Amino acid sequence: MPPAITIERHILETQRAYPGATGDFSALLYDIAFAAKIISSSVNKAGLVDIMGLTGDENVQGELVQKLDELANNTIYKALDHTGRLCCMASEENEGIIEIPQRFKCGKYVLAFDPLDGSSNIDANVSIGTIFSIFHKVSSAERGTLEDCLQQGRKQVAGGYIIYGSSTMMVYTAGNGVHGFTLDPSIGEFLLSHPNIKTPQRGNIYSCNEGNYAKWENGIQKYIDYVKTPDKASGRPYKSRYIGSLVADFHRNLLYGGIFLYPPDKSNPLGKLRLLYEANPLAFIVEQAGGAASDGQQDILDKTARELHERTPLYIGSYEDVRDIESFLNGTRS
Ligand code: AHM
Ligand code: MG
């Protein structure tokens, strides 16, 4: 039996390729994995909240009654605020940047995250996830500033997600391939289960909220009509798969091949998803896996956010499929 490779060992072995590395970055990834284990344990107990509430145990009830996305947000913050590795954080749950308390040292990295994406699915036991992105601090300020958060996607040092599904997995890239780890709950360790993930150049799955079809621009409607039109030679019709939980939809398509779309529509002119902590890290992962991510005009990683919660249209997945949708959007195909 080959030796089990823990996420810690994998991160440390990768670090050896960078002789000047201080270990801060490795430790930061490991801190995120630690927070993910705590969140995973809370997510797995989500259905028990009411049952346990009946016992009248204030402690347990007090902890579990906290909304899970709030709990996930606090867990990540508390796992990282004191480490001296971050200069600031940005979260979907906080309007402004999250400062590192004055009593703690400031570090050289920035963390942007969506603590619990798709959390409206929790009550139905549907997979949800945490998404994160890491940048270097670039401002000359003593502590982190907005400038440190609003960097071009290509400047990311790492991007990743944790999926709380039938098992819990952490998938990340630091620019040297995409690696996936599955949590073994019996020993509390993430073990390398998906080394060097590559996504098919073309898939046969499309994932979108097709209920919005009538609100989409013509190019998107035509693309959707196209993938549904049978043509055996090019593998159409595509299969429609939509969970409504970005991490879960993205993860499935990454492994099987396909495209995820969240286009703009009349009520959301920039779409729904956020550039900094949803689109950017997944775009980094998909490019490293051989796929592509676009907003219809340009690659997601070429964009620079102008505000923390900036939204972006998102077309992400297999390379050929993303280029197809761009050609429908720019009118070279119809
Ligand atoms: P959230 O950040 O409020 O959880 O919303 C993001 C979620 C994504 O997980 C998912 O892709 C999308 O919203 C689904 O939106 P819709 O219900 O419009 O299809
Ligand atoms: Mg989200």
Side-chain angles (χ1 to χ4, degrees):
M1 196 173 83
I5 299 180
T6 62
I7 196 164
E8 188 175 19
R9 174 173 166 190
H10 189 267
I11 291 169
L12 288 173
E13 283 177 2
T14 309
Q15 185 192 313
R16 279 198 203 110
Y18 304 88
T22 59
D24 268 11
F25 175 66
S26 300
L28 175 54
L29 282 176
Y30 197 63
D31 293 339
I32 294 170
F34 171 66
K37 287 187 219 172
I38 299 175
I39 298 169
S40 176
S41 148
S42 305
V43 167
N44 288 338
K45 285 183 216 149
L48 296 171
V49 172
D50 290 341
I51 301 167
M52 295 177 90
L54 290 177
T55 65
D57 183 331
E58 271 189 17
N59 255 352
V60 175
Q61 189 180 0
E63 272 166 31
L64 290 173
V65 156
Q66 191 179 171
K67 269 178 66 202
L68 267 179
D69 30 18
E70 205 176 296
L71 183 139
N73 200 38
N74 288 339
T75 300
I76 296 174
Y77 172 68
K78 289 281 178 215
L80 289 147
D81 68 340
H82 59 282
T83 59
R85 296 187 252 280
L86 294 178
C87 64
C88 66
M89 303 182 224
S91 161
E92 187 190 307
E93 296 287 320
N94 296 69
E95 201 180 323
I97 65 168
I98 307 170
E99 290 171 5
I100 300 299
Q102 288 291 336
R103 63 185 185 282
F104 299 130
K105 241 184 78 199
C106 245
K108 57 181 185 233
Y109 293 103
V110 182
L111 176 72
F113 61 99
D114 182 350
L116 212 55
D117 184 73
S119 51
S120 61
N121 286 314
I122 291 173
D123 289 346
N125 221 339
V126 170
S127 300
I128 48 181
T130 296
I131 317 176
F132 66 91
S133 166
I134 299 172
F135 287 104
H136 277 297
K137 178 176 187 288
V138 287
S139 73
S140 50
E142 194 198 325
R143 305 185 85 78
T145 65
L146 196 56
E147 183 193 344
D148 295 305
C149 299
L150 303 183
Q151 299 188 50
Q152 192 191 42
R154 293 222 177 273
K155 304 265 166 61
Q156 285 175 101
V157 180
Y161 61 86
I162 297 100
I163 178 167
Y164 311 103
S166 47
S167 57
T168 294
M169 272 191 79
M170 177 160 162
V171 176
Y172 85 95
T173 184
N176 55 355
V178 179
H179 309 290
F181 302 80
T182 302
L183 181 64
D184 180 339
S186 63
I187 55 169
E189 286 284 1
F190 279 105
L191 302 176
L192 181 64
S193 52
H194 297 64
N196 207 14
I197 297 172
K198 291 289 173 206
T199 197
Q201 287 293 287
R202 179 172 290 285
N204 68 347
I205 294 174
Y206 74 103
S207 311
C208 59
N209 184 343
E210 217 170 329
N212 292 329
Y213 182 94
K215 296 194 277 177
W216 288 336
E217 64 184 279
N218 203 246
I220 301 289
Q221 292 177 334
K222 287 199 164 144
Y223 175 76
I224 296 298
D225 296 344
Y226 165 78
V227 295
K228 295 197 309 192
T229 306
D231 177 37
K232 216 169 171 190
S234 43
R236 292 181 282 131
Y238 280 16
K239 288 182 269 194
S240 167
R241 296 285 184 271
Y242 189 63
I243 297 168
S245 192
L246 175 62
V247 172
D249 280 310
F250 175 83
H251 182 69
R252 180 203 51 239
N253 291 1
L254 180 74
L255 298 182
Y256 298 166
I259 182 161
F260 173 93
L261 311 76
Y262 211 107
D265 60 50
K266 285 171 193 145
S267 29
N268 305 298
L270 285 175
K272 177 180 183 187
L273 300 174
R274 269 61 52 114
L275 178 56
L276 271 188
Y277 40 79
E278 291 176 325
N280 263 346
L282 300 186
F284 192 12
I285 288 173
V286 88
E287 279 203 7
Q288 283 285 315
S294 168
D295 70 355
Q297 317 277 326
Q298 61 179 334
D299 284 348
I300 292 289
L301 293 183
D302 289 331
K303 292 171 73 117
T304 302
R306 284 151 299 182
E307 51 186 38
L308 279 187
H309 303 286
E310 182 169 320
R311 293 175 195 268
T312 178
L314 181 62
Y315 310 104
I316 187 166
S318 292
Y319 188 88
E320 301 292 343
D321 293 296
V322 173
R323 300 286 93 111
D324 274 357
I325 199 162
E326 282 177 333
S327 63
F328 276 89
L329 282 168
N330 67 25
T332 48
R333 281 167 81 176
S334 57

